[in-house]
Amino acid sequence: RAKSEGRGQYRVFVPSMRDDLLRRQRLMNDLRGAIRRNELFLLFQPIVCTVSGNTSGFEALLRWHHPELDLVPPSEFIDLAEKSGQIEAIGAWVIEQACRAAAQWPEDLFISVNVSARQLTDMSLIAVVTDSIAAHAVNPRRLVIEITESTLIDNDTSALSVLHALKRLGCRIALDDFGTGYASLSYLRRFPFDKLKIDQSFLRQIGDKNSDSAKIVRAIGDLGRQMDLLVVAEGVETQEQLDLVREAGSVLGQGYLFDRPLTLDAARHRVARERGLRQTAVFHSA
Ligand code: C2E
Ligand code: MG
Ligand code: MG
Ligand code: MG
């Protein structure tokens, strides 16, 4: 009997594993020409001041429109791009496109881009950033590089020198998904961060009475104040979450309560609408 149960499991389990592997192999292959075929694009999600509600900047989020499989999420293809050595080219494309977009927005708005561990292993990222900000005449201070904790653990000596070189260019650095990795707090002293992004998992559990998430969000707010880091709350979906993160000292927020990731046009409209209203208000009071 044990043997037939084993075989039953075998039949159910293996095909799905194989499908999964086949899909991954296919995506890895198809990704190779994705930039050339214009299948990649960026969406821009507003990052908003939790006090005034004004847009402070945008995070560039990568999307892949596969001709047959439709929209493939970054959670599915970024690690494939890392494993197959394609992340350098894709990452360079993202930074160039993000600077191109930022050049179309008011000067006071920042643009955040996500950078993977592999992009921090050598200095070629510095050339990419230098070229992109020069090509689009973007002030380097507007460019925020987002990295995650695991990036630092995997290769901290080279990552540290790349991050310092980015800081010398004038860029800013954000620690993304803060609280989910295994980095110790000493990383906050060793690396030149400007911002901490509280991972969305903490916000998701805030309504849950048995969870300590609200305390953790407050503790991260205190940490940010003590260490002079700007705290950004990710995944703000409800008014309750916004009230908590604002009170806890998160100056910036990002999430569906404010807006979803937007196309470049929609992002520009959002800013124009916001600024237009503000200008009108000034005009009337003058
Ligand atoms: P991330 O950098 O932490 O980005 C935030 C993710 O949360 C985005 O998912 C965004 O769409 C989503 N999000 C924003 N607000 C809310 C909300 O209120 N509720 C919920 N449930 N989700 C929200 P997305 O776009 O699927 O990206 C997933 C991850 O993929 C990113 O996480 C980032 O780690 C990675 N990624 C995206 N674009 C790039 C890229 O250009 N390069 C690299 N290396 N990684 C990227
Ligand atoms: Mg991010
Ligand atoms: Mg994040
Ligand atoms: Mg994330």
Side-chain angles (χ1 to χ4, degrees), residues 6-21:
R7 278 174 57 184
Q9 263 183 331
Y10 185 84
R11 259 185 244 120
V12 176
F13 190 51
V14 168
S16 72
M17 262 181 61
R18 209 194 57 195
D19 288 351
D20 195 55
L21 188 69

PDB file of all heavy atoms in Angstrom, residues 6-21:
ATOM      1  N   GLY A   6       2.895   6.063  -2.675  1.00  0.00           N
ATOM      2  CA  GLY A   6       4.095   6.738  -3.173  1.00  0.00           C
ATOM      3  C   GLY A   6       3.966   7.017  -4.660  1.00  0.00           C
ATOM      4  O   GLY A   6       4.251   8.126  -5.115  1.00  0.00           O
ATOM      5  N   ARG A   7       3.462   6.050  -5.363  1.00  0.00           N
ATOM      6  CA  ARG A   7       3.342   6.258  -6.807  1.00  0.00           C
ATOM      7  C   ARG A   7       2.269   7.279  -7.130  1.00  0.00           C
ATOM      8  O   ARG A   7       2.398   8.064  -8.063  1.00  0.00           O
ATOM      9  CB  ARG A   7       3.037   4.922  -7.506  1.00  0.00           C
ATOM     10  CG  ARG A   7       4.317   4.119  -7.712  1.00  0.00           C
ATOM     11  CD  ARG A   7       4.044   2.751  -8.254  1.00  0.00           C
ATOM     12  NE  ARG A   7       3.312   2.793  -9.494  1.00  0.00           N
ATOM     13  CZ  ARG A   7       2.890   1.705 -10.127  1.00  0.00           C
ATOM     14  NH1 ARG A   7       3.113   0.512  -9.598  1.00  0.00           N
ATOM     15  NH2 ARG A   7       2.253   1.802 -11.262  1.00  0.00           N
ATOM     16  N   GLY A   8       1.203   7.256  -6.308  1.00  0.00           N
ATOM     17  CA  GLY A   8       0.140   8.259  -6.495  1.00  0.00           C
ATOM     18  C   GLY A   8       0.709   9.662  -6.361  1.00  0.00           C
ATOM     19  O   GLY A   8       0.490  10.532  -7.190  1.00  0.00           O
ATOM     20  N   GLN A   9       1.512   9.851  -5.323  1.00  0.00           N
ATOM     21  CA  GLN A   9       2.140  11.159  -5.095  1.00  0.00           C
ATOM     22  C   GLN A   9       3.032  11.531  -6.276  1.00  0.00           C
ATOM     23  O   GLN A   9       3.030  12.656  -6.715  1.00  0.00           O
ATOM     24  CB  GLN A   9       3.022  11.072  -3.851  1.00  0.00           C
ATOM     25  CG  GLN A   9       2.345  11.579  -2.608  1.00  0.00           C
ATOM     26  CD  GLN A   9       3.287  11.528  -1.420  1.00  0.00           C
ATOM     27  OE1 GLN A   9       4.191  10.693  -1.359  1.00  0.00           O
ATOM     28  NE2 GLN A   9       3.070  12.415  -0.493  1.00  0.00           N
ATOM     29  N   TYR A  10       3.749  10.525  -6.726  1.00  0.00           N
ATOM     30  CA  TYR A  10       4.685  10.699  -7.826  1.00  0.00           C
ATOM     31  C   TYR A  10       3.973  11.273  -9.037  1.00  0.00           C
ATOM     32  O   TYR A  10       4.397  12.258  -9.631  1.00  0.00           O
ATOM     33  CB  TYR A  10       5.310   9.324  -8.149  1.00  0.00           C
ATOM     34  CG  TYR A  10       6.391   9.349  -9.196  1.00  0.00           C
ATOM     35  CD1 TYR A  10       7.707   9.657  -8.870  1.00  0.00           C
ATOM     36  CD2 TYR A  10       6.071   9.058 -10.515  1.00  0.00           C
ATOM     37  CE1 TYR A  10       8.688   9.687  -9.837  1.00  0.00           C
ATOM     38  CE2 TYR A  10       7.054   9.070 -11.487  1.00  0.00           C
ATOM     39  CZ  TYR A  10       8.367   9.380 -11.143  1.00  0.00           C
ATOM     40  OH  TYR A  10       9.320   9.395 -12.106  1.00  0.00           O
ATOM     41  N   ARG A  11       2.828  10.682  -9.344  1.00  0.00           N
ATOM     42  CA  ARG A  11       2.103  11.125 -10.538  1.00  0.00           C
ATOM     43  C   ARG A  11       1.578  12.557 -10.413  1.00  0.00           C
ATOM     44  O   ARG A  11       1.562  13.302 -11.348  1.00  0.00           O
ATOM     45  CB  ARG A  11       0.927  10.174 -10.818  1.00  0.00           C
ATOM     46  CG  ARG A  11       1.251   9.195 -11.931  1.00  0.00           C
ATOM     47  CD  ARG A  11       0.052   8.356 -12.273  1.00  0.00           C
ATOM     48  NE  ARG A  11       0.330   6.960 -11.960  1.00  0.00           N
ATOM     49  CZ  ARG A  11      -0.366   6.235 -11.093  1.00  0.00           C
ATOM     50  NH1 ARG A  11      -1.380   6.778 -10.444  1.00  0.00           N
ATOM     51  NH2 ARG A  11      -0.054   4.999 -10.877  1.00  0.00           N
ATOM     52  N   VAL A  12       1.139  12.913  -9.190  1.00  0.00           N
ATOM     53  CA  VAL A  12       0.586  14.256  -9.016  1.00  0.00           C
ATOM     54  C   VAL A  12       1.711  15.301  -8.978  1.00  0.00           C
ATOM     55  O   VAL A  12       1.602  16.362  -9.548  1.00  0.00           O
ATOM     56  CB  VAL A  12      -0.230  14.342  -7.706  1.00  0.00           C
ATOM     57  CG1 VAL A  12      -0.730  15.760  -7.486  1.00  0.00           C
ATOM     58  CG2 VAL A  12      -1.403  13.375  -7.769  1.00  0.00           C
ATOM     59  N   PHE A  13       2.796  14.953  -8.306  1.00  0.00           N
ATOM     60  CA  PHE A  13       3.825  15.938  -7.990  1.00  0.00           C
ATOM     61  C   PHE A  13       4.715  16.273  -9.187  1.00  0.00           C
ATOM     62  O   PHE A  13       4.914  17.436  -9.519  1.00  0.00           O
ATOM     63  CB  PHE A  13       4.657  15.391  -6.838  1.00  0.00           C
ATOM     64  CG  PHE A  13       5.606  16.390  -6.250  1.00  0.00           C
ATOM     65  CD1 PHE A  13       5.154  17.655  -5.872  1.00  0.00           C
ATOM     66  CD2 PHE A  13       6.946  16.087  -6.095  1.00  0.00           C
ATOM     67  CE1 PHE A  13       6.023  18.580  -5.335  1.00  0.00           C
ATOM     68  CE2 PHE A  13       7.813  17.002  -5.552  1.00  0.00           C
ATOM     69  CZ  PHE A  13       7.358  18.252  -5.172  1.00  0.00           C
ATOM     70  N   VAL A  14       5.189  15.255  -9.866  1.00  0.00           N
ATOM     71  CA  VAL A  14       6.221  15.479 -10.873  1.00  0.00           C
ATOM     72  C   VAL A  14       5.779  16.346 -12.060  1.00  0.00           C
ATOM     73  O   VAL A  14       6.505  17.252 -12.451  1.00  0.00           O
ATOM     74  CB  VAL A  14       6.849  14.147 -11.323  1.00  0.00           C
ATOM     75  CG1 VAL A  14       7.694  14.346 -12.566  1.00  0.00           C
ATOM     76  CG2 VAL A  14       7.708  13.600 -10.200  1.00  0.00           C
ATOM     77  N   PRO A  15       4.581  16.103 -12.608  1.00  0.00           N
ATOM     78  CA  PRO A  15       4.217  16.939 -13.755  1.00  0.00           C
ATOM     79  C   PRO A  15       4.207  18.430 -13.419  1.00  0.00           C
ATOM     80  O   PRO A  15       4.656  19.250 -14.221  1.00  0.00           O
ATOM     81  CB  PRO A  15       2.801  16.461 -14.100  1.00  0.00           C
ATOM     82  CG  PRO A  15       2.741  15.076 -13.589  1.00  0.00           C
ATOM     83  CD  PRO A  15       3.583  15.082 -12.333  1.00  0.00           C
ATOM     84  N   SER A  16       3.724  18.822 -12.208  1.00  0.00           N
ATOM     85  CA  SER A  16       3.668  20.251 -11.913  1.00  0.00           C
ATOM     86  C   SER A  16       5.079  20.802 -11.745  1.00  0.00           C
ATOM     87  O   SER A  16       5.373  21.925 -12.148  1.00  0.00           O
ATOM     88  CB  SER A  16       2.830  20.516 -10.674  1.00  0.00           C
ATOM     89  OG  SER A  16       3.519  20.092  -9.530  1.00  0.00           O
ATOM     90  N   MET A  17       5.966  19.999 -11.159  1.00  0.00           N
ATOM     91  CA  MET A  17       7.354  20.437 -11.047  1.00  0.00           C
ATOM     92  C   MET A  17       7.967  20.619 -12.430  1.00  0.00           C
ATOM     93  O   MET A  17       8.718  21.551 -12.677  1.00  0.00           O
ATOM     94  CB  MET A  17       8.179  19.399 -10.286  1.00  0.00           C
ATOM     95  CG  MET A  17       8.358  19.744  -8.823  1.00  0.00           C
ATOM     96  SD  MET A  17       9.362  18.531  -7.975  1.00  0.00           S
ATOM     97  CE  MET A  17      10.911  18.654  -8.852  1.00  0.00           C
ATOM     98  N   ARG A  18       7.605  19.678 -13.320  1.00  0.00           N
ATOM     99  CA  ARG A  18       8.165  19.757 -14.659  1.00  0.00           C
ATOM    100  C   ARG A  18       7.607  20.971 -15.413  1.00  0.00           C
ATOM    101  O   ARG A  18       8.340  21.695 -16.072  1.00  0.00           O
ATOM    102  CB  ARG A  18       7.891  18.468 -15.436  1.00  0.00           C
ATOM    103  CG  ARG A  18       8.958  18.186 -16.479  1.00  0.00           C
ATOM    104  CD  ARG A  18       8.513  17.132 -17.456  1.00  0.00           C
ATOM    105  NE  ARG A  18       7.276  17.553 -18.091  1.00  0.00           N
ATOM    106  CZ  ARG A  18       6.485  16.726 -18.775  1.00  0.00           C
ATOM    107  NH1 ARG A  18       6.776  15.455 -18.871  1.00  0.00           N
ATOM    108  NH2 ARG A  18       5.392  17.185 -19.353  1.00  0.00           N
ATOM    109  N   ASP A  19       6.315  21.216 -15.277  1.00  0.00           N
ATOM    110  CA  ASP A  19       5.704  22.391 -15.917  1.00  0.00           C
ATOM    111  C   ASP A  19       6.384  23.666 -15.445  1.00  0.00           C
ATOM    112  O   ASP A  19       6.661  24.582 -16.226  1.00  0.00           O
ATOM    113  CB  ASP A  19       4.216  22.480 -15.567  1.00  0.00           C
ATOM    114  CG  ASP A  19       3.413  21.410 -16.280  1.00  0.00           C
ATOM    115  OD1 ASP A  19       3.991  20.729 -17.161  1.00  0.00           O
ATOM    116  OD2 ASP A  19       2.231  21.255 -15.955  1.00  0.00           O
ATOM    117  N   ASP A  20       6.622  23.690 -14.142  1.00  0.00           N
ATOM    118  CA  ASP A  20       7.247  24.853 -13.540  1.00  0.00           C
ATOM    119  C   ASP A  20       8.639  25.074 -14.121  1.00  0.00           C
ATOM    120  O   ASP A  20       9.002  26.191 -14.500  1.00  0.00           O
ATOM    121  CB  ASP A  20       7.331  24.611 -12.033  1.00  0.00           C
ATOM    122  CG  ASP A  20       7.624  25.882 -11.277  1.00  0.00           C
ATOM    123  OD1 ASP A  20       6.863  26.845 -11.472  1.00  0.00           O
ATOM    124  OD2 ASP A  20       8.622  25.921 -10.536  1.00  0.00           O
ATOM    125  N   LEU A  21       9.379  23.984 -14.219  1.00  0.00           N
ATOM    126  CA  LEU A  21      10.737  24.060 -14.750  1.00  0.00           C
ATOM    127  C   LEU A  21      10.718  24.489 -16.218  1.00  0.00           C
ATOM    128  O   LEU A  21      11.505  25.329 -16.652  1.00  0.00           O
ATOM    129  CB  LEU A  21      11.415  22.691 -14.599  1.00  0.00           C
ATOM    130  CG  LEU A  21      12.899  22.650 -14.933  1.00  0.00           C
ATOM    131  CD1 LEU A  21      13.694  23.413 -13.877  1.00  0.00           C
ATOM    132  CD2 LEU A  21      13.390  21.210 -15.006  1.00  0.00           C
TER     133      LEU A  21
END
